[in-house]
């Protein structure tokens, strides 16, 4: 390292300073001291660099361990986030991709014959996890209706489909817990809930049925609704029959069974 200008005097070219005869021994002694000093410093630095845990080991191994630790932490965080974001009653977009054949309603991989008196038609449903729906409704009184519908079961993206049985029970549970559907009623309770395996036109699935009883309401013809949710494995994927009809309105309760009995796969 350059620290500034210096002057060198050649022997015999200028006046000798007093005591100049001792210059050579002093120089040799100084060089010896410098060599020893450098050896000591070098040994000390080598020990500090190469000692265990000093960072002088394999840097690749250290980087790999750090990367693996960060990756594991990220995976755990992602799993926790995914679980936390799952919605109990998720709703897909009400997109319609099927077209009803003559005299039938089609949704997903199911078709049904709409029962007599169920003349109102909509392409939406209030059931969670159901899209591509076709619904028929019959008036009970005022703005209260009994309904039957078919549609495609669509689960929340990023959440594993739980199977037909759990899907039927979840759709049923979300229906009975949706207070907006049962506006004007209170003290609601579920009675006689049953889930059972079923076969529809050779296709297997599960059906959940039960009665949602109203403790208080302003209705005259009924004090509850009979709900039926069937999730069927079709060649087009899991599809659902969803119905709620007024308890005590006999023609509607019979129509629910008639509509279910008419279920088939796609006719082409």
């Amino acid at each position: 390292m350059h620290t500034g200008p210096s002057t060198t005097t050649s022997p015999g070219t200028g006046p000798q300073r007093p005591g100049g005869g001792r210059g050579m021994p002093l120089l040799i002694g100084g060089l010896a001291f410098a060599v020893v000093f450098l050896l000591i410093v070098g040994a000390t630095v080598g020990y500090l660099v190469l000692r265990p845990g000093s960072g002088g080991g394999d840097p690749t191994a250290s980087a790999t361990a750090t990367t693996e630790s960060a990756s594991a932490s990220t995976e755990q965080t992602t799993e926790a986030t995914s679980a936390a974001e799952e919605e109990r009653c998720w709703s897909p977009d009400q997109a319609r991709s099927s077209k009803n054949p003559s005299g039938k309603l089609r949704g997903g991989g199911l078709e049904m014959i709409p029962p007599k008196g169920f003349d109102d038609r909509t392409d939406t449903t209030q059931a969670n996890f159901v899209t591509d729906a076709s619904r028929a409704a019959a008036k009970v009184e005022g703005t209260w209706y009994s309904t039957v519908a078919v549609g495609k079961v669509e689960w929340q993206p990023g959440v594993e489909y739980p199977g037909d049985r759990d899907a039927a029970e979840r759709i049923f549970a979300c229906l009975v817990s949706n207070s907006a559907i049962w506006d004007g009623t209170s003290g609601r309770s579920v009675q006689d809930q049953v889930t059972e395996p079923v076969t529809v036109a050779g296709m297997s699935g599960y059906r959940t049925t039960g009665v949602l009883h109203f403790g208080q309401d302003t209705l005259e013809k009924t004090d509850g609704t009979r709900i039926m949710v069937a999730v069927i494995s079709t060649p087009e994927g899991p599809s659902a029959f969803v119905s709620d009809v007024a308890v005590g309105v006999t023609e509607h309760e019979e129509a629910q069974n008639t509509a279910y009995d008419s279920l088939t796969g796609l006719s082409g």
Side-chain angles (χ1 to χ4, degrees):
M1 174 185 293
H2 180 65
T3 59
S6 62
T7 301
T8 302
T9 303
S10 299
T13 60
Q16 298 294 320
R17 292 177 295 176
R22 294 192 301 269
M24 185 59 67
L26 290 174
L27 177 60
I28 293 173
L31 289 174
F33 175 81
V35 170
V36 173
F37 177 80
L38 289 174
L39 288 173
I40 294 173
V41 171
T44 302
V45 171
Y47 170 76
L48 292 175
V49 172
L50 297 177
R51 65 175 177 171
S54 65
D58 184 357
T60 304
S62 177
T64 300
T66 301
T67 302
E68 291 175 351
S69 177
S71 177
S73 177
T74 301
E75 290 176 358
Q76 292 174 356
T77 301
T78 301
E79 291 174 358
T81 301
S82 299
E85 291 179 351
E86 180 179 358
E87 297 181 32
R88 174 65 179 168
C89 295
W90 178 79
S91 292
D93 292 334
Q94 293 294 306
R96 183 76 171 135
S97 56
S98 298
K99 184 178 180 180
N100 292 332
S102 177
K104 295 184 177 181
L105 301 184
R106 174 182 292 180
L110 292 175
E111 290 179 358
M112 73 172 177
I113 300 173
K116 182 180 179 180
F118 284 64
D119 301 324
D120 289 342
R121 302 283 189 272
T122 59
D123 289 339
T124 61
T125 176
Q126 292 176 299
N128 297 92
F129 304 103
V130 178
T131 186
D132 185 32
S134 186
R135 183 175 68 172
K139 187 174 181 177
V140 178
E141 60 181 89
T143 59
W144 200 267
Y145 285 78
S146 294
T147 70
V148 293
V150 286
K152 175 184 177 181
V153 174
E154 182 176 326
W155 221 247
Q156 182 179 349
V159 178
E160 183 179 1
Y161 180 63
D164 296 341
R165 181 188 183 97
D166 287 348
E169 292 180 340
R170 178 83 72 90
I171 294 170
F172 181 96
C174 289
L175 274 175
V176 302
S177 64
N178 188 342
S179 58
I181 300 176
W182 319 115
D183 187 36
T185 70
S186 61
R188 294 181 294 273
S189 61
V190 178
Q191 302 173 352
D192 303 324
Q193 181 176 341
V194 176
T195 299
E196 57 189 345
V198 295
T199 301
V200 171
M203 300 176 293
S204 62
Y206 285 87
R207 179 178 63 186
T208 299
T209 58
V211 173
L212 180 63
H213 178 74
F214 308 141
Q216 294 181 342
D217 60 74
T218 58
L219 302 169
E220 295 181 0
K221 294 183 178 181
T222 185
D223 58 3
T225 187
R226 189 177 304 279
I227 298 174
M228 181 185 296
V229 177
V231 175
I232 310 299
S233 290
T234 76
E236 289 71 29
S239 301
F241 170 84
V242 182
S243 173
D244 67 279
V245 298
V247 173
V249 181
T250 304
E251 59 270 29
H252 289 185
E253 293 185 278
E254 291 176 348
Q256 183 181 61
N257 293 327
T258 300
Y260 176 80
D261 291 339
S262 74
L263 286 173
T264 64
L266 301 188
S267 57

